[in-house]
Amino acid sequence: MESPKTGILILALVAIATAVGIFLGLQLRQPAQTAAIAAQGPVNSGKDHLRATYDPIHFKPAIDKATDAQCLACHREVLEDKVRETSPVGIKAAASKAWYQRLSTYAGEQDTFHRRHLVTPMARELMNLSCTTCHQGSDPREEAPGSSATAMPQSTDAFTLRKQVNPETTCLKCHGQMNIQVMGLPSPWLESKEMFGNSCLTCHAAIRTKRHQVSYLKAEAIEAAGAKNADTCYGCHGGRSWYRISYPYPRHAWEGMAPEVPDWAKDRPTESEARFLLPVVTQK
């Protein structure tokens, strides 16, 4: 029978060999780990997700002054994402027209929602949209207005239940149905446009001439593009409609406007929303 001292000696040798093995393994792995950490860049010293979610910039009044750079610092994926070349069922994007590509004014390949509104050639030419044009904050507590004593009230128009925006006050501006009844058209624009020389300016050269005077649009560029191709006008005013209803645009006064207000316009505002008004330029 072996001596107890021999057993203890064997256990000690095993422990020493294990410790040496672990030490050597760590030494061999360290360069690879260091390289991997270096490739990730500096450690994020910012806020964790919960604190970032409840950052004041997501709430009034801070969001009113938020810049695109501040928004995209965390949400840059909205501009980096790309449309799939092939859909999950195998349809090639290049062989299929998206709904927003069906007018002659769209150029290029299919693109993502935010990119079409911020960085595509048409967006840069005609629009001056920023993140806060549409996004006016969102209460993360269920994303439901009026869900608590300190949440936004039910009467808010900043966002709709479970949505990051209020479509009625944002999307509908450019994606509502063309109001042919108010305009007095005999039929939808696609059916009657030849009657007007396929030009919106046949009428609008003298009617409702004060238009697009808001901070999120480039009025002069829109007017010039509309004069060249009516699809520029129709693209927003019905050609890319998401909704079956139209948007109740403010009825700005124009030179030669009749003093009588028609019934459909009696509840319409006469100015655009205050936050979209252009600064008044005073002549020296």
Side-chain angles (χ1 to χ4, degrees):
M1 185 173 178
E2 296 183 359
S3 153
K5 292 183 178 180
T6 303
I8 294 172
L9 179 62
I10 293 174
L11 289 175
L13 291 174
V14 171
I16 293 171
T18 302
V20 171
I22 293 173
F23 175 78
L24 291 176
L26 291 174
Q27 293 299 310
L28 291 174
R29 290 178 56 191
Q30 187 174 2
Q33 290 176 331
T34 302
I37 293 172
Q40 295 173 3
V43 176
N44 181 13
S45 59
K47 300 177 179 178
D48 58 49
H49 182 266
L50 183 62
R51 287 178 173 81
T53 299
Y54 282 92
D55 190 281
I57 200 172
H58 294 135
F59 301 87
K60 297 283 189 177
I63 196 167
D64 291 325
K65 296 182 179 180
T67 65
D68 284 0
Q70 288 175 304
C71 298
L72 294 173
C74 292
H75 300 286
R76 62 182 181 275
E77 76 282 353
V78 301
L79 296 184
E80 294 176 352
D81 285 350
K82 298 292 184 180
V83 171
R84 292 178 175 177
E85 294 183 2
T86 306
S87 74
V89 295
I91 300 175
K92 299 285 186 182
S96 175
K97 286 284 187 181
W99 67 276
Y100 53 82
Q101 290 180 292
R102 297 183 181 276
L103 292 174
S104 61
T105 51
Y106 189 90
E109 300 176 347
Q110 293 185 24
D111 216 330
T112 58
F113 175 90
H114 284 95
R115 289 180 57 81
R116 294 199 311 273
H117 289 81
L118 293 172
V119 298
T120 57
M122 175 175 279
R124 293 185 183 278
E125 179 187 359
L126 305 179
M127 310 172 202
N128 194 30
L129 293 169
S130 63
C131 300
T132 56
T133 301
C134 299
H135 295 283
Q136 283 289 287
S138 177
D139 193 329
R141 292 166 296 185
E142 301 182 80
E143 294 188 349
S147 60
S148 72
T150 57
M152 288 187 177
Q154 288 284 356
S155 59
T156 184
D157 61 359
F159 67 98
T160 302
L161 179 64
R162 307 288 182 191
K163 293 183 173 65
Q164 297 294 327
V165 300
N166 182 353
E168 295 178 4
T169 58
T170 54
C171 312
L172 195 61
K173 280 185 171 72
C174 296
H175 296 291
Q177 285 282 7
M178 192 172 187
N179 200 336
I180 61 173
Q181 292 78 19
V182 164
M183 296 171 68
L185 294 180
S187 59
W189 177 250
L190 293 179
E191 299 175 10
S192 60
K193 63 181 182 179
E194 298 300 331
M195 186 183 306
F196 300 94
N198 194 20
S199 173
C200 300
L201 295 178
T202 300
C203 296
H204 284 287
I207 299 174
R208 292 201 67 155
T209 53
K210 187 178 179 181
R211 50 186 179 256
H212 308 130
Q213 302 292 323
V214 285
S215 59
Y216 58 88
L217 296 177
K218 298 179 180 178
E220 292 184 4
I222 291 173
E223 296 296 331
K228 294 178 182 177
N229 188 342
D231 272 358
T232 302
C233 308
Y234 181 62
C236 280
H237 297 285
R240 297 189 177 98
S241 59
W242 287 1
Y243 304 95
R244 296 181 181 180
I245 56 176
S246 59
Y247 183 76
Y249 292 102
R251 195 167 186 259
H252 297 93
W254 66 88
E255 186 177 352
M257 183 178 76
E260 299 81 14
V261 179
D263 290 339
W264 59 265
K266 288 181 178 178
D267 294 329
R268 295 281 182 98
T270 57
E271 290 289 342
S272 298
E273 295 172 57
R275 70 188 185 98
F276 294 136
L277 291 177
L278 295 171
V280 177
V281 178
T282 57
Q283 295 183 348
K284 295 181 180 180

